[in-house]
């Protein structure tokens, strides 16, 4: 659940194996940028959903309608069908 890149993770020494869960949570509370997110909770599961389409695996019902990533890339079309990308 901890993000390292672009955070004070290294400066705070959070890779120290002797740190307790409470110490790590305290660091996350003091520096929210350390929290890798989004964390999504459904009746099916709890999952770190980055990339955003990872949420599709834990939706209680199948996705109906279109779904696009944050950058606008379509993942599900208007009919609820997955879009396959072909890389040349």
């Amino acid at each position: 659940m901890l993000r390292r890149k672009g955070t004070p993770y290294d400066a705070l020494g959070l890779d120290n194996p002797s740190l307790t869960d409470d110490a790590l949570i305290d660091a996350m509370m003091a520096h929210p940028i350390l929290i890798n997110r989004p964390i999504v909770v459904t009746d099916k599961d709890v999952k770190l959903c980055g990339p955003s389409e990872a949420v599709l695996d834990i939706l209680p019902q199948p996705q109906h309608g279109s779904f696009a990533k944050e950058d606008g890339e379509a993942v599900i079309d208007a009919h609820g069908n997955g879009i396959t990308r072909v890389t040349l």
Side-chain angles (χ1 to χ4, degrees):
M1 293 280 162
L2 284 172
R3 175 183 292 159
R4 188 173 198 158
K5 186 176 179 183
T7 72
Y9 180 97
D10 290 320
L12 296 171
L14 298 180
D15 58 349
N16 183 338
S18 69
L19 289 174
T20 64
D21 288 347
D22 286 340
L24 293 173
I25 291 170
D26 288 345
M28 293 164 73
M29 295 296 289
H31 306 277
I33 195 164
L34 290 166
I35 303 169
N36 207 348
R37 51 196 177 278
I39 301 165
V40 179
V41 179
T42 70
D43 290 339
K44 287 180 74 174
D45 205 355
V46 176
K47 188 172 188 176
L48 179 61
C49 291
S52 58
E53 66 268 24
V55 73
L56 298 171
D57 296 336
I58 63 168
L59 291 176
Q61 302 201 358
Q63 171 68 21
H64 299 286
S66 61
F67 179 88
K69 295 182 182 188
E70 297 83 6
D71 64 3
E73 179 185 343
V75 177
I76 304 289
D77 69 16
H79 304 289
N81 300 312
I83 297 174
T84 304
R85 297 280 178 219
V86 177
T87 306
L88 302 176

